[in-house]
Amino acid sequence: MNARLQKLIADAKAAWQAEQASGRVRIRVTLDTSSIARGAEETLARLREAAASRKIDADVGITGSWGFCWLEPCVSVRSAAGTHAVLYGNVTPDRVDELIEAIAAGRDLPSLALGVIEGNATPEIPLLEDHPFMKGQVRRLMANLGRTDPENIDHYLAHGGYEGFGKALEMDAEAIVKEVLDSGLGGRGGGGFPTGRKWDFLRNATASPRYLICNADEGDPGAWVNRILMEGDPHLIIEGMLIAALASHADEGYIYIRYEYPLAFERMKKAVAQAYEKGLLGKDILGTGKNFELIVFLGAGAYVCGEETGLINSIDGYRGMPRIKPPFPAQAGLWNKPTNVNNVESYANAPLILRNGAQWWSSVSDAKEKGTKMFTFSGHVKQAGCIEIPFGPKVRTLLEQYAGGLSGDLPLKGFQPGGPLSGVLPASDIDLTLTLDPYRERGMFLGSGGVVFFDQSACIVDLCLFFLGFCEDESCGRCTTCHGGTQRAVEILRRIAAGGGRDADLDNFEKLIGTLVWSNCLHGQFAMTSIKTSLKTFRDEYVEHIVDKVCRAGVCKGLMPGRWARRAAPQPAAAAAD
């Protein structure tokens, strides 16, 4: 390994060990967008104040998300002796004094404890790995989340960081590409195209300079996988892009982050600045003669910039509209030069492959899709969160084990994977596996990992109105097919929801489905997927709205409520007694 990199890693490990052996209580607060929304910043400030007022010698810092989003703020406490550490959940500011009292007395607080993360279990607190939410997870991408400070590059270096890049420095470009191809790593944005092959296209491009882009424009409602990684372990993504640069002879890279992710943007900028300071980016990296510049770019909030050519247009300084292909980015992308665009998770897997080998990386999954995948889940569930599991479990497992089941007493109606451009599936499909093919067979896609569950209180017309309204708002306007087609679909759905449904509406939907597939880009081509899939499995609900003027969920205000709305409504005491 490169001598300068070896020293960086050795120094970081020594600093980490010194921290661990400092004899101070170590308190770490999850600080990301989800926890901040639940008061984590106030919890952090209150912990520092309370520890100081009680004269507790404590190191109070931050870390990334454990994935327990519904239990934020999460706080881990490691004893001064360094032999025992516990993770706590729901540590709201009003519970801080209680926790600090326990710390001062040298005891745990079982009422808030989620599990022991270091040392032995106690009679009252089991190991965190035995928590139902943790069982079945294989945390590779999320290995540092909850344990290291995402704003400290030395923490990353002390936990295997940049070791994969060090190995890649000793390999030629073709060998790096082969290792990634042998692993079976596919694109994690939903397409599943072999990542190594994409890199090889760029490696064999004839023009220069060559560019890499990390697509962090994660805009699907219900998906926050990329945000979890950027906010919790930003250097994993930077290292992945450095490896990709060696494999493809790229000169410069961009991390394109959606406007709605301000914390991810700030953390990625800080991480890039730290990498420059350590000599891991820029000219003559670590004295190897290799050059790679990396820029963190903030988007302007356009959903279509999640499409790679729309994203390229945005960086180029043009309106964020997808381009007509061909040419493809590998031939003419950013500044009309060869360009490779990969998803956040795709880049983040590269260091793990180079560090541990393709065989180790791929062996975790028995499915055709290799490696692990991060999923987020939300909707009518008890537990909204983020997990990392091998490909292959059923959607039922995602709902019942990790999401804790449905939040109410109404039965499951369906679920929506892959964002608004994918479709909706009925409860009868709950045993589909979390792999790519079952969704492709239905004209859908698994997307970047967000799954939204809904029960019988949801109205399918109202859901599709939300999805189509989103697609209409986010249409770039380049082609009339998409821009006008989504407008017509929204108009029909609004009229149906208001009680003005017509017999011809379902036929008009079919015409729009057949027309929008001729849109210029995937946004228009998949905009009608929610209607297309819902007409197959929820057609009777459309007929009720149009013919019977009834909304069974009681959501559409222009229609009479149906049976599920009546069941969900609170009953008078006398009626309940009867």
Side-chain angles (χ1 to χ4, degrees):
M1 185 183 292
N2 176 277
R4 286 173 59 179
L5 180 56
Q6 278 185 320
K7 186 176 187 312
L8 287 176
I9 292 172
D11 290 348
K13 287 184 175 179
W16 174 264
Q17 289 167 1
E19 279 185 48
Q20 300 296 99
S22 66
R24 305 178 71 194
V25 175
R26 287 171 56 84
I27 302 173
R28 293 292 178 265
V29 180
T30 295
L31 199 67
D32 73 339
T33 298
S34 298
S35 69
I36 289 171
R38 290 178 59 87
E41 289 177 317
E42 292 82 358
T43 293
L44 178 61
R46 186 76 192 96
L47 279 166
R48 286 173 171 157
E49 292 171 4
S53 66
R54 289 298 305 268
K55 294 183 170 52
I56 298 173
D57 186 15
D59 173 14
V60 184
I62 65 169
T63 186
S65 174
W66 289 86
F68 292 92
C69 300
W70 80 98
L71 292 175
E72 297 291 0
C74 289
V75 176
S76 63
V77 179
R78 186 173 186 264
S79 66
T83 58
H84 183 66
V86 176
L87 179 67
Y88 298 97
N90 273 327
V91 187
T92 49
D94 61 302
R95 303 298 298 271
V96 166
D97 287 341
E98 189 179 356
L99 179 60
I100 288 294
E101 289 294 330
I103 295 171
R107 57 182 173 80
D108 299 325
L109 186 61
S111 61
L112 292 179
L114 299 178
V116 174
I117 55 178
E118 190 174 344
N120 298 321
T122 71
E124 295 176 302
I125 308 175
L127 295 175
L128 185 66
E129 63 194 49
D130 293 329
H131 193 289
F133 184 76
M134 300 299 289
K135 288 184 177 180
Q137 291 201 53
V138 180
R139 295 202 167 196
R140 292 177 169 181
L141 293 165
M142 296 179 72
N144 290 338
L145 272 65
R147 301 183 183 276
T148 61
D149 182 345
E151 298 185 359
N152 189 334
I153 187 173
D154 286 336
H155 281 197
Y156 182 70
L157 285 162
H159 289 79
Y162 293 100
E163 288 180 8
F165 174 58
K167 290 185 178 180
L169 282 171
E170 299 172 351
M171 303 164 65
D172 62 29
E174 190 173 359
I176 298 171
V177 168
K178 183 178 185 303
E179 190 75 10
V180 175
L181 282 172
D182 288 347
S183 73
L185 173 63
R188 291 304 198 250
F193 190 82
T195 301
R197 191 161 299 154
K198 261 193 167 184
W199 294 2
D200 208 32
F201 290 157
L202 191 61
R203 181 178 72 90
N204 290 309
T206 54
S208 62
R210 302 169 190 179
Y211 296 98
L212 291 178
I213 297 176
C214 175
N215 184 349
D217 193 59
E218 181 181 48
D220 292 342
W224 62 95
V225 166
N226 296 344
R227 175 175 64 74
I228 288 277
L229 275 178
M230 289 188 289
E231 293 177 352
D233 202 7
H235 285 282
L236 188 65
I237 301 156
I238 295 170
E239 184 181 1
M241 294 190 72
L242 277 166
I243 292 168
L246 292 176
S248 60
H249 304 303
D251 305 274
E252 190 172 315
Y254 287 80
I255 302 174
Y256 188 99
I257 301 177
R258 65 181 301 211
Y259 180 81
E260 294 85 353
Y261 281 179
L263 182 60
F265 179 67
E266 291 302 322
R267 290 223 171 125
M268 287 303 315
K269 279 204 308 180
K270 182 173 288 189
V272 167
Q274 291 172 345
Y276 270 104
E277 290 171 7
K278 297 284 188 182
L280 292 161
L281 289 171
K283 305 293 183 186
D284 191 25
I285 294 172
L286 301 173
T288 62
K290 305 289 186 181
N291 306 317
F292 187 64
E293 307 291 341
L294 189 56
I295 297 165
V296 183
F297 190 99
L298 186 65
Y303 180 72
V304 289
C305 287
E307 196 277 339
E308 60 182 11
T309 60
L311 185 156
I312 288 169
N313 255 7
S314 178
I315 298 175
D316 271 345
Y318 300 114
R319 184 178 173 189
M321 297 191 301
R323 300 176 180 177
I324 307 297
K325 293 183 282 189
F328 293 93
Q331 289 80 44
L334 192 62
W335 322 120
N336 284 323
K337 297 296 184 180
T339 303
N340 185 103
V341 184
N342 278 122
N343 173 268
V344 168
E345 219 177 328
S346 304
Y347 282 123
N349 271 295
L352 307 179
I353 295 169
L354 270 292
R355 188 190 309 169
N356 300 291
Q359 178 59 35
W360 171 87
W361 186 87
S362 62
S363 62
V364 71
S365 173
D366 294 328
K368 182 173 70 175
E369 298 83 358
K370 298 303 178 185
T372 59
K373 178 75 186 76
M374 292 172 64
F375 290 94
T376 53
F377 36 88
S378 57
H380 292 151
V381 296
K382 293 177 181 176
Q383 305 172 175
C386 178
I387 60 169
E388 182 182 358
I389 55 176
F391 280 99
K394 296 178 179 178
V395 178
R396 181 186 298 276
T397 303
L398 197 65
L399 172 62
E400 295 179 354
Q401 178 180 341
Y402 297 114
L406 295 172
S407 54
D409 63 347
L410 294 178
L412 180 70
K413 184 169 186 171
F415 60 98
Q416 194 270 318
L421 299 185
S422 192
V424 291
L425 291 173
S428 57
D429 280 334
I430 195 67
D431 287 317
L432 289 180
T433 57
L434 291 166
T435 52
L436 301 181
D437 285 347
Y439 305 93
R440 288 173 174 167
E441 291 165 4
R442 289 161 172 77
M444 304 167 61
F445 40 84
L446 192 57
S448 61
V451 182
V452 180
F453 295 95
F454 53 94
D455 64 22
Q456 294 287 355
S457 67
C459 166
I460 202 66
V461 173
D462 183 67
L463 275 177
C464 289
L465 178 56
F466 171 79
F467 295 137
L468 264 295
F470 181 89
C471 292
E472 178 197 6
D473 287 344
E474 296 296 339
S475 174
C476 75
R478 172 190 284 277
C479 64
T480 305
T481 313
C482 170
H483 184 241
T486 53
Q487 284 182 336
R488 300 292 82 74
V490 168
E491 287 170 1
I492 295 171
L493 287 167
R494 283 177 178 160
R495 182 164 40 73
I496 292 174
R502 303 168 185 168
D503 292 341
D505 286 340
L506 297 186
D507 288 337
N508 287 332
F509 279 144
E510 296 291 351
K511 291 175 183 176
L512 286 169
I513 291 168
T515 300
L516 264 72
V517 295
W518 300 103
S519 300
N520 286 344
C521 79
L522 293 177
H523 184 85
Q525 292 164 13
F526 282 90
M528 293 292 292
T529 307
S530 58
I531 291 181
K532 179 181 177 181
T533 53
S534 63
L535 282 174
K536 291 180 180 178
T537 52
F538 299 103
R539 194 178 190 90
D540 58 332
E541 195 167 341
Y542 281 98
V543 172
E544 286 178 3
H545 279 69
I546 295 169
V547 178
D548 301 328
K549 309 301 181 186
V550 169
C551 174
R552 63 176 68 176
V555 173
C556 299
K557 295 181 180 179
L559 301 171
M560 293 185 296
R563 62 183 184 277
W564 293 112
R566 289 194 295 271
R567 176 180 167 182
Q571 299 295 315
D578 292 341

